[in-house]
């Protein structure tokens, strides 16, 4: 009996050594050093995140107020838009782990204003604490203001003219002959009440100082009110014609030449006076003998005894005729 118990005890000792011998400090350390660990980087990262969450959870809670938190307007139906000035930011009171809430910046969170199912008119929008996007460990205590008022209108479009914005003065002795823009009108879009009050938009400014000759330039258009948007794609083409300062001059006693007089007929008006207009140097250089005043009477119906004269200036002249007196030349057959 004693021998049987002795053998049983020996076997138990061997089993215990097999099972728990590796827990000896020396053996355990040896196994850890020589054991291969799969995905070591991911496991270390998991340990690090767990440690950080534990540290954060052990931090004291703190309240802070963030000023200048952006409002995001969402859910507005197609064809509608917000009209006029609206609140862009609010202040938000938060509670959470001290190091987390104190490290937050206003641009890291947003307050969502839900405009779903809102019809045109003056509306009141509730700002709820549940509509604030932020980390899970932080609680929203208050939004100030808690409601915002705004006006919702139909979006409309119309075409309006474009007025060039010119700055500066051209040099003395020169002037602007013509200003044109292509296209002369653009389409604008915005809230109905705003669009109905806009008759024109202006281009960006174009500098004229020192200009003595014609030029073209590309320009964009805009409107000072942010709710009015220009839909016509730009840029537009602005053309400005500049030249020598112009003046008028009257020339008298220009003889009329009858190119096809019938036999026995005679003129009752022998001469005319004309007013010419154009660049100063060209006007002053014009001589009476450079101008022809002619009439033709062949083919006129019977009983007609007057005809408009044709005034012919020198070829390629920049001058134009503003007035002829008399306007018709009388004759007698």
């Amino acid at each position: 009996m004693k021998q049987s118990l002795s053998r049983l005890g020996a076997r138990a000792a061997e089993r215990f050594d097999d099972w728990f011998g590796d827990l000896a400090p020396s053996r355990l350390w040896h196994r850890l050093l020589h054991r291969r660990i799969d995905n070591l980087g991911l496991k270390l990262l998991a340990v690090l995140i767990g440690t950080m969450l534990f540290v954060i959870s052990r931090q004291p809670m703190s309240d802070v107020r963030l000023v200048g938190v952006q409002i995001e307007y969402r859910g507005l139906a197609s064809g509608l838009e917000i009209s006029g000035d609206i609140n862009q930011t609010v202040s938000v009171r938060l509670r959470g782990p001290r190091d987390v809430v104190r490290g937050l910046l206003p641009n890291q969170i947003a307050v969502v204003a839900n405009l779903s199912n809102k019809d045109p008119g003056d509306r009141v929008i509730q700002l709820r604490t549940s509509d604030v996007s932020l980390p899970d460990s932080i609680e929203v205590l208050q939004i100030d203001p808690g409601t915002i008022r705004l006006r919702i209108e139909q979006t409309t479009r119309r075409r309006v003219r474009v007025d060039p914005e010119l700055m500066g003065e051209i040099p003395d002795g020169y002037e602007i002959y013509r200003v044109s823009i292509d296209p002369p009108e653009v389409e604008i879009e915005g809230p109905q009440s705003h669009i109905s009050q806009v008759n024109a938009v202006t281009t960006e400014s174009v500098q004229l100082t020192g200009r003595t000759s014609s030029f073209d330039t590309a320009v964009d258009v805009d409107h000072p009110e942010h709710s009015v948007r220009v839909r016509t794609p730009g840029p537009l083409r602005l053309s400005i014609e500049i030249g020598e300062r112009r003046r008028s001059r009257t020339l008298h006693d220009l003889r009329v030449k009858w190119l096809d007089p019938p036999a026995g007929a005679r003129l009752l008006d022998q001469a005319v006076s004309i007013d010419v207009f154009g660049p100063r140097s060209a006007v002053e250089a014009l001589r009476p003998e450079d101008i022809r005043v002619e009439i033709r009477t062949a083919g006129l119906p019977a009983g007609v005894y007057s005809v408009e004269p044709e005034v012919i200036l020198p070829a390629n002249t920049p001058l134009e005729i503003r007035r002829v007196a008399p306007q018709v030349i009388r004759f007698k057959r």
Side-chain angles (χ1 to χ4, degrees), residues 60-64 93-97 101 137-141:
M61 304 297 283
S62 178
D63 292 1
V64 298
R93 184 164 163 251
L94 306 172
R95 179 176 178 80
V101 294
S137 60
I138 300 176
E139 177 187 4
V140 180
L141 301 178

Side-chain angles (χ1 to χ4, degrees), residues 20-194:
F20 300 101
D22 288 344
L23 294 181
S26 60
R27 291 187 180 182
L28 180 61
W29 181 251
H30 182 270
R31 291 176 67 88
L32 287 174
L33 288 178
H34 292 82
R35 184 178 182 84
R36 180 179 177 180
I37 301 177
D38 295 331
N39 299 321
L40 178 60
L42 292 177
K43 293 179 178 179
L44 290 176
L45 179 61
V47 172
L48 179 60
I49 293 174
T51 303
M52 292 177 60
L53 293 176
F54 175 78
V55 171
I56 291 175
S57 66
R58 305 298 296 176
Q59 289 181 6
M61 304 297 283
S62 178
D63 292 1
V64 298
R65 180 177 294 275
L66 289 182
V67 178
V69 176
Q70 194 76 21
I71 301 177
E72 293 185 5
Y73 294 93
R74 299 180 185 175
L76 192 61
S78 176
L80 299 179
E81 62 182 274
I82 301 172
S83 172
D85 296 330
I86 57 174
N87 287 21
Q88 298 292 342
T89 60
V90 293
S91 65
V92 179
R93 184 164 163 251
L94 306 172
R95 179 176 178 80
R98 181 180 57 193
D99 289 350
V100 176
V101 294
R102 289 184 178 180
L104 278 177
L105 298 176
N107 60 1
Q108 292 178 302
I109 65 174
V111 177
V112 176
N114 187 2
L115 304 183
S116 300
N117 303 319
K118 295 295 182 181
D119 295 324
D122 294 321
R123 297 288 174 256
V124 176
I125 310 300
Q126 300 287 338
L127 299 179
R128 299 178 176 84
T129 57
S130 59
D131 293 331
V132 182
S133 58
L134 39 64
D136 294 337
S137 60
I138 300 176
E139 177 187 4
V140 180
L141 301 178
Q142 183 183 3
I143 301 175
D144 187 22
T147 60
I148 54 176
R149 298 179 181 272
L150 49 80
R151 183 171 183 81
I152 298 176
E153 292 190 39
Q154 294 282 349
T155 300
T156 187
R157 298 177 184 177
R158 66 178 295 202
R159 297 192 68 83
V160 296
R161 74 174 187 275
V162 179
D163 292 337
E165 181 74 17
L166 305 180
M167 298 184 63
E169 298 290 338
I170 60 177
D172 190 32
Y174 293 87
E175 65 175 273
I176 297 174
Y177 292 175
R178 183 180 60 89
V179 176
S180 62
I181 192 162
D182 183 31
E185 293 183 339
V186 295
E187 185 179 51
I188 59 174
E189 177 187 75
Q192 187 173 24
S193 64
H194 296 218

Side-chain angles (χ1 to χ4, degrees), residues 189-305:
E189 177 187 75
Q192 187 173 24
S193 64
H194 296 218
I195 295 298
S196 63
Q197 299 176 6
V198 180
N199 296 316
V201 293
T202 59
T203 68
E204 57 188 318
S205 60
V206 176
Q207 184 60 247
L208 297 179
T209 302
R211 294 280 190 177
T212 59
S213 60
S214 303
F215 68 96
D216 293 347
T217 186
V219 292
D220 284 310
V221 297
D222 198 6
H223 193 272
E225 190 172 341
H226 70 275
S227 60
V228 175
R229 302 175 296 277
V230 179
R231 291 189 53 84
T232 303
L236 282 61
R237 176 61 56 179
L238 176 64
S239 299
I240 302 179
E241 186 178 346
I242 299 175
E244 183 184 3
R245 189 178 299 279
R246 295 171 292 184
R247 56 156 292 194
S248 295
R249 179 186 174 191
T250 303
L251 292 92
H252 300 281
D253 287 331
L254 300 177
R255 305 302 294 178
V256 177
K257 185 176 182 180
W258 196 349
L259 298 179
D260 53 358
R266 62 187 179 88
L267 291 176
L268 299 180
D269 299 304
Q270 301 289 329
V272 298
S273 298
I274 67 170
D275 291 345
V276 296
F277 178 77
R280 178 183 297 272
S281 60
V283 168
E284 293 176 350
L286 183 64
R287 299 175 302 173
E289 54 266 30
D290 297 330
I291 306 170
R292 301 199 318 269
V293 182
E294 301 174 349
I295 62 169
R296 297 176 184 269
T297 56
L300 290 177
V304 175
Y305 300 102

